Amino acid sequence: MQSMAIEELEDMARRCRVEICRMTHRAKAGHPGGSLSEIDILCGLYGSRLRVDASNPKWADRDRFILSKGHASPGMYALLAEMGFISHEDLESYRVLGGVCQGHVDMKWTPGVDFSAGSLGMGLSYGMGCALAARMDGSSRTTYVMIGDGEIQEGAIWEAAMAARHHELGNLKVFLDRNNIQNDDFCEVQMRMFDIPAKWHGFGWAVKEIDGHNMHEIVEAIAWLDTITDRPAIIIANTVKGKGVSFMENNPAFHGAPPNDEQLQLAMTELGVSV
Amino acid sequence: MTEMGATRDGYGDALLDIAADNRVVVLEADLGKSTKSLHFRKAYPERTVSCGIGEQNMMLIGAGLASSGYIPFASTFAIFTERGFEQVRNGIARPNLAVHICGSHGGTHTGTDGSSAQSIEDLAIYRTLPNMVVMHPCDTVSTRELTKQLVELNSPSYTRTARNKTPVVHSGREDEIKIGKGIVLKDGSDVAIIACGVLVHEAMKAAEDLASQGVSAAVIDMHTLKPLDNDLIDRYVAKCGSIVTAEDHSIIGGLGSAVAEYTSSNNPVPIERIGVKDRFGESGEAQQMLDLLHLSSPHISEAAKRAVARKA
């Protein structure tokens, strides 16, 4: 695909941030914090590398993107609207009965969603299945999975980490959104994880650490992933939960809480939307 | 001499029967020798995925493969499938991905390994999941036929097989064996014994015993617990007016519950349920376990007489 310019990707991410705030405000619920931390990576991936077709979302040989941290669905929906998989009007259906945009991403409800998530620790295993299928098919398609940092406290993540290396899945790529906050509090309070890169190195993965909000680094790292072909690879993206909205940044309160009316106005101003 | 066989061998044979379909893949969790997927592995290593001792991962690898057009058959001990229950619930049943799970060594019949290995709740928990087909066949012939039919099933399934041998009762009636259709093994008019799995043969013995006492008992092999063969139940409710259910499974939530749930809302008749009465098992030989837990034929006969006596 034709890669978008860095400035275009950055502006797409800004527009997605606007929608993330609007969606969660409208629904009076949802997860803005982790959506804002992941969104630069999602935009970088879809805008520079992912082989998908909005006019044919079920194209069998498409690349797969699995949002394992499925609560961060507003980010995914905002991006899918940008990419033309769903309409901007669909975003108004977030968490609404019968709506295209379910609370957690769901492949049965939303075109362009490859996995029904919502329970942490599952997407990496599912992605392994997709990657094995691609290999059995003799296809060069790639499977990308995004997991959260709190999510790696789930034991099943490590079953998958071990198995993916055993099976030498060079077509499986993971982003870890290292935003340091989980539902109840900072990760350091809930469950210290110590040296996360060392853990993935220990499981035999190719590992790269980046600033998950620097679009140059993101696009470069996505290109680096393509150079790893003999084993699974992970990008540990250091991010800020709530990135782009001052009062949400690094604030555990906005893991699973929407902005109120006043906060939305402030967020819009900060994101360059005239109100 | 009655031909004997372990239903897990029926599963292993069926995997080879359907292997010509390149969409069929086999997932193992270090128990291929026990569940009998090892024969497929030997013949088709490129379509066999070792998941190590990691059942949660295995279930979702299956989901990913199914989403990509493959037909995964994942097996481990029945009890260890339960470790991945939420993966099955959220990752397989909810998106309705046709992953076929085989839990071998189910029930107390698995014997001397003891209570940790004796899954007596598997049928109940999988039965609660929308989209899931749940089966517990009684012999090698039906296990083989039903497993082969899963290739054409566009929804996920759970099949319990047994470690120890049971009599082969379905030889020559392969054409009658269909997912979701119970099989009348013996006709009768006083009471219908609806059984699954390893208790089907016990039900047949009970029916012979009852005949000698002047009680005419029908025996139905209800190998599929979900979807339940409601039409067949209706016919035998009308014909016999009383029912006994028999399963090597908790009395809570399995075949007896399924039959009672259906009949109580439609055409209530006296039902006596044979099952494990809300307790765990222990180490013992298969037949000893059936006797200890009051699952064997004398207990089925007694239940049948109680059911008949309760008819108005």
Side-chain angles (χ1 to χ4, degrees), chain B:
Chain B
M1 183 77 189
T2 312
E3 187 190 349
M4 302 285 285
T7 52
R8 56 179 170 148
D9 286 310
Y11 175 75
D13 290 342
L15 292 181
L16 291 176
D17 292 338
I18 57 181
D21 187 332
N22 285 323
R23 298 171 302 168
V24 172
V25 293
V26 162
L27 310 186
E28 296 183 333
D30 200 36
L31 285 170
K33 283 193 282 189
S34 301
T35 68
K36 298 301 175 188
S37 62
L38 82 163
H39 305 302
F40 185 98
R41 165 183 281 283
K42 278 187 190 144
Y44 305 95
E46 73 287 353
R47 278 193 278 141
T48 306
V49 181
S50 167
C51 301
I53 307 171
E55 297 80 12
Q56 300 172 70
N57 192 35
M58 177 171 74
M59 296 304 177
L60 291 164
I61 290 174
L65 283 161
S67 79
S68 304
Y70 286 88
I71 307 174
F73 287 77
S75 65
T76 180
F77 285 180
I79 192 74
F80 302 140
T81 70
E82 295 178 23
R83 180 188 295 250
F85 178 72
E86 199 228 332
Q87 278 79 4
V88 176
R89 192 266 186 201
N90 268 328
I92 294 174
R94 194 167 57 105
N96 195 21
L97 293 166
V99 177
H100 303 298
I101 300 160
C102 175
S104 77
H105 294 55
T108 65
H109 198 259
T110 201
T112 59
D113 276 341
S115 59
S116 71
Q118 296 165 348
S119 169
I120 51 172
E121 57 286 316
D122 53 339
L123 303 173
I125 63 175
Y126 293 115
R127 205 167 67 80
T128 62
L129 297 181
N131 298 325
M132 288 288 286
V133 165
V134 180
M135 303 194 290
H136 182 23
C138 72
D139 72 352
T140 53
V141 171
S142 55
T143 305
R144 188 170 181 169
E145 283 305 312
L146 293 166
T147 303
K148 284 157 65 175
Q149 290 171 24
L150 292 174
V151 171
E152 304 300 328
L153 187 74
N154 292 315
S155 58
S157 69
Y158 173 78
T159 303
R160 185 211 272 189
T161 60
R163 172 187 187 276
N164 293 313
K165 292 179 177 176
T166 47
V168 176
V169 301
H170 289 309
S171 270
R173 49 169 107 220
E174 284 81 353
D175 291 348
E176 287 176 53
I177 299 164
K178 300 275 184 261
I179 293 172
K181 294 290 172 199
I183 300 168
V184 180
L185 281 168
K186 178 187 173 302
D187 212 348
S189 55
D190 295 327
V191 59
I193 307 174
I194 302 175
C196 63
V198 299
L199 290 200
V200 169
H201 181 67
E202 295 296 320
M204 289 293 283
K205 284 197 288 184
E208 286 170 27
D209 173 51
L210 288 162
S212 71
Q213 299 174 56
V215 178
S216 169
V219 177
I220 294 168
D221 173 10
M222 197 63 87
H223 49 72
T224 306
L225 283 79
K226 187 184 177 185
L228 195 63
D229 190 346
N230 295 331
D231 292 343
L232 187 61
I233 293 173
D234 284 342
R235 269 168 43 210
Y236 276 83
V237 162
K239 186 167 190 174
C240 300
S242 68
I243 291 173
V244 173
T245 60
E247 61 197 311
D248 178 14
H249 182 275
S250 171
I251 200 75
I252 300 168
L255 177 65
S257 295
V259 171
E261 285 159 12
Y262 176 71
T263 56
S264 66
S265 297
N266 293 279
N267 195 358
V269 289
I271 297 181
E272 293 287 327
R273 293 175 297 135
I274 294 288
V276 181
K277 294 175 185 64
D278 201 20
R279 59 157 287 185
F280 290 107
E282 60 189 75
S283 289
E285 297 296 340
Q287 194 59 46
Q288 289 177 319
M289 294 311 299
L290 300 189
D291 291 335
L292 175 78
L293 297 169
H294 293 191
L295 307 176
S296 51
S297 61
H299 302 284
I300 298 174
S301 294
E302 288 307 308
K305 284 185 259 180
R306 288 197 303 273
V308 171
R310 284 173 55 203
K311 287 201 275 189

